Amino acid sequence: LKCVAAPPRTRSVMGDAGEEPAAAPPAEETPAPAAAPAAAVPRGFVPHTEMPPMTGEPEQVEYCPTCGFPPDFCEFSPQWQVCKPWVLENYPQYYPELAGISLDEAKEKAAAKAQADAEKVQMRPGGKKKKEEVKLVQVKKMTRNKRKCVTVVIGLDLFGVKLEKAASLFKKKFACGAGVSKGAPGLPDEVEVQGDYEQEIVEVILANFKEVTPEQVKIVKGK
């Protein structure tokens, strides 16, 4: 007998129960790439002479009379306590958190702060108090070239007196030469009057410059 090989067994496309196979899930759609943003068009230089004219009125900005800041920036000033009354009275809309503070109370605190700042003692390194500068007019007789005598006045400018004005007054009063001499480095300028007028010049200073008191004029020994 001749043996014939059986054909290869193929897998049925039907299920065990003869059902149709499940459909394959649909392929996910690939989103379309986003459009690239349009490139910015560079703006060329336009001289101010070719710009269109400005329209409307310029905005007027009022500044705080205490700190010099715009009203909405006063809180950043070291003088904020002193600025508060002006802000409360003129621009309360910028600081709603101050709604519960009365204007009189703010004025009292501002006055106290201003007085405390005025009386604040300057301190040196190490915590030492800095001595208050004493204003004093010094008058002394000096000898120039071993023969020429001049009277020197120092310190009038500390009282707001113009030295040129004082020299002109002395020149007219004593009918002599007088002028302002530049002080050495670190020293104040001085008024030089030709001649010996120590006592007389003190009387002229007190009579013409009322801001200087007798206690603030001192005759010192010269060279």
Side-chain angles (χ1 to χ4, degrees):
L1 294 174
K2 186 178 180 180
C3 295
V4 180
R9 184 178 180 181
T10 59
R11 187 175 181 179
S12 173
V13 297
M14 301 294 291
D16 295 340
E19 297 178 353
E20 293 290 336
E28 296 182 359
E29 296 182 0
T30 304
V41 180
R43 181 179 178 182
F45 172 74
V46 180
H48 72 278
T49 54
E50 298 180 9
M51 295 292 289
M54 298 179 65
T55 58
E57 295 294 329
E59 183 178 355
Q60 299 294 329
V61 179
E62 185 177 10
Y63 294 91
C64 175
T66 301
C67 66
F69 288 7
D72 49 336
F73 280 83
C74 283
E75 61 178 327
F76 302 108
S77 166
Q79 297 174 302
W80 170 228
Q81 290 294 336
V82 186
C83 301
K84 276 185 181 180
W86 180 80
V87 168
L88 284 172
E89 194 170 1
N90 297 277
Y91 296 95
Q93 68 273 20
Y94 290 137
Y95 302 97
E97 66 274 13
L98 301 180
I101 300 177
S102 67
L103 183 59
D104 294 337
E105 180 183 355
K107 287 182 178 180
E108 290 178 2
K109 291 184 177 180
K113 179 68 167 58
Q115 184 177 1
D117 291 343
E119 297 176 353
K120 190 174 181 180
V121 179
Q122 295 183 350
M123 304 295 289
R124 290 182 175 178
K128 296 181 180 180
K129 292 184 179 180
K130 184 179 180 181
K131 294 182 179 180
E132 185 179 355
E133 184 179 357
V134 178
K135 295 191 295 184
L136 187 68
V137 177
Q138 299 182 23
V139 179
K140 58 184 177 179
K141 183 173 61 176
M142 307 285 291
T143 302
R144 299 280 191 250
N145 300 326
K146 298 182 180 180
R147 292 183 181 181
K148 186 178 179 181
C149 180
V150 296
T151 304
V152 178
V153 182
I154 304 174
L156 280 174
D157 51 341
L158 298 176
F159 297 86
V161 177
K162 299 293 184 182
L163 298 185
E164 293 79 5
K165 179 181 177 181
S168 178
L169 175 65
F170 299 150
K171 183 177 181 180
K172 182 179 179 180
K173 186 70 176 178
F174 302 115
C176 63
V180 179
S181 177
K182 188 72 176 177
L187 297 177
D189 296 346
E190 55 192 24
V191 179
E192 285 191 0
V193 182
Q194 295 180 7
D196 183 3
Y197 300 104
E198 278 185 323
Q199 299 295 335
E200 297 89 339
I201 212 166
V202 172
E203 298 175 1
V204 173
I205 291 173
L206 296 177
N208 291 272
F209 306 116
K210 300 300 183 182
E211 52 268 47
V212 183
T213 63
E215 295 78 14
Q216 295 172 318
V217 182
K218 183 178 180 182
I219 297 178
V220 297
K221 186 177 181 181
K223 295 180 181 180

